[in-house]
Amino acid sequence: MDHRLKYYFLFEAANGDEMRINLLQDHWGGEAVLRSMGQAPVLRREKNGNIWGSSLELYPECKVDQEFAELYTSDPYEWKVEVLNVSEQQTVWTGYVSPELYSEPDVAPPYDVQVIATDGLGELKFHDFSVKELRELSHTSVLDETEFSWPLILTYIFSKTGFDFSTNTDPAMVLSTMSFSAPFYLYMDCKVYDGETL
C-alpha cells in the first residue's frame, strides 16, 4: 500500500495542544487539502476480552453535496487515518476508515458527515491464522517452538490489521497506538506441528 495525504484537519485539544488529523488515500497523487470539521473528533476505547480496541469518529464539513462520498468504500485499507499531536510532535493514534460506515444527512450543504475509523483490533476475530504463514514470516522450514518468539507472533497477528510491519517500520511505534489491558498473556501451542516442513 502507498498511502498519501489527501485531507488534513487542525484543531485544539482540551488541554490546549495543537492537534492534526491526516486522511491518507492509497495511491493518491494530488495535493493535500486543509478542511474544516463541524465538531471535535471523538476517540473511543472498547474492551473486547484482554484487548482494548479503539475507534475515531470525525466530522468533516461538506461544502458541496456528497463531497466526501469517496470515503464510502468496501476496501478496509484504502483510507488511513493518523492523529498527531503537533505540539509534542508525536503520533497519538493510527487506524483505517471503516468500510461502509460513512453517513451524511439529506440536507443542502454545508453539512457535516460522520466518518468512523478503527485500529483494526476488533477485526482480528474474522481472520484465520496459520502456522504456515508464521513459518514464512520466520523464514524457517522446520517448526521448532523455540524459534517462535512472542514479538514474531505479535508481528504476525497485528499484520492482519493492515499496518505496515516491514523492516522500514518499527512495530513498537505502530503497536504503541494500541492499548492492551493488563495482564496480557500470549501463548501459541505448536507442538502438534513438530518436525513438519513447508
Side-chain angles (χ1 to χ4, degrees), residues 106 110 127 172 186:
D106 188 17
H127 289 281
L186 179 67

Side-chain angles (χ1 to χ4, degrees), residues 28-198:
W28 169 247
E31 294 290 323
V33 178
L34 172 64
R35 295 305 309 270
S36 301
M37 286 190 296
Q39 59 181 315
V42 179
L43 184 61
R44 301 181 188 278
R45 288 181 22 158
E46 294 181 6
K47 186 175 181 182
N48 185 359
N50 279 337
I51 297 177
W52 287 86
S54 59
S55 65
L56 177 74
E57 296 176 16
L58 55 145
Y59 302 89
E61 181 187 62
C62 280
K63 295 180 179 177
V64 297
D65 210 20
Q66 297 188 344
E67 186 176 8
F68 288 101
E70 64 185 328
L71 295 174
Y72 182 84
T73 175
S74 59
D75 182 353
Y77 304 122
E78 181 176 352
W79 292 92
K80 187 175 183 178
V81 181
E82 298 172 336
V83 180
L84 311 173
N85 184 320
V86 178
S87 301
E88 297 183 9
Q89 297 183 345
Q90 70 177 14
T91 302
V92 175
W93 187 87
T94 306
Y96 288 91
V97 172
S98 298
E100 302 176 357
L101 283 183
Y102 170 85
S103 64
E104 63 180 39
D106 188 17
V107 296
Y111 55 78
D112 301 338
V113 296
Q114 183 188 47
V115 178
I116 299 174
T118 67
D119 60 14
L121 292 180
E123 303 299 313
L124 290 176
K125 61 187 173 187
F126 299 114
H127 289 281
D128 291 327
F129 297 93
S130 76
V131 173
K132 182 179 178 182
E133 287 182 344
L134 188 57
R135 285 183 193 155
E136 291 169 356
L137 187 64
S138 68
H139 307 293
T140 182
S141 60
V142 179
L143 181 63
D144 177 352
E145 63 180 287
T146 61
E147 295 181 38
F148 290 89
S149 63
W150 71 265
L152 176 68
I153 295 172
L154 280 178
T155 297
Y156 169 56
I157 291 172
F158 289 114
S159 68
K160 301 292 186 178
T161 63
F163 291 107
D164 180 11
F165 284 88
S166 67
T167 54
N168 297 324
T169 303
D170 180 7
M173 186 183 76
V174 179
L175 293 176
S176 69
T177 66
M178 302 174 176
S179 300
F180 303 90
S181 63
F184 177 72
Y185 299 103
L186 179 67
Y187 177 72
M188 184 172 178
D189 187 0
C190 300
K191 291 178 183 175
V192 295
Y193 299 102
D194 279 347
E196 287 192 13
T197 62
L198 291 172

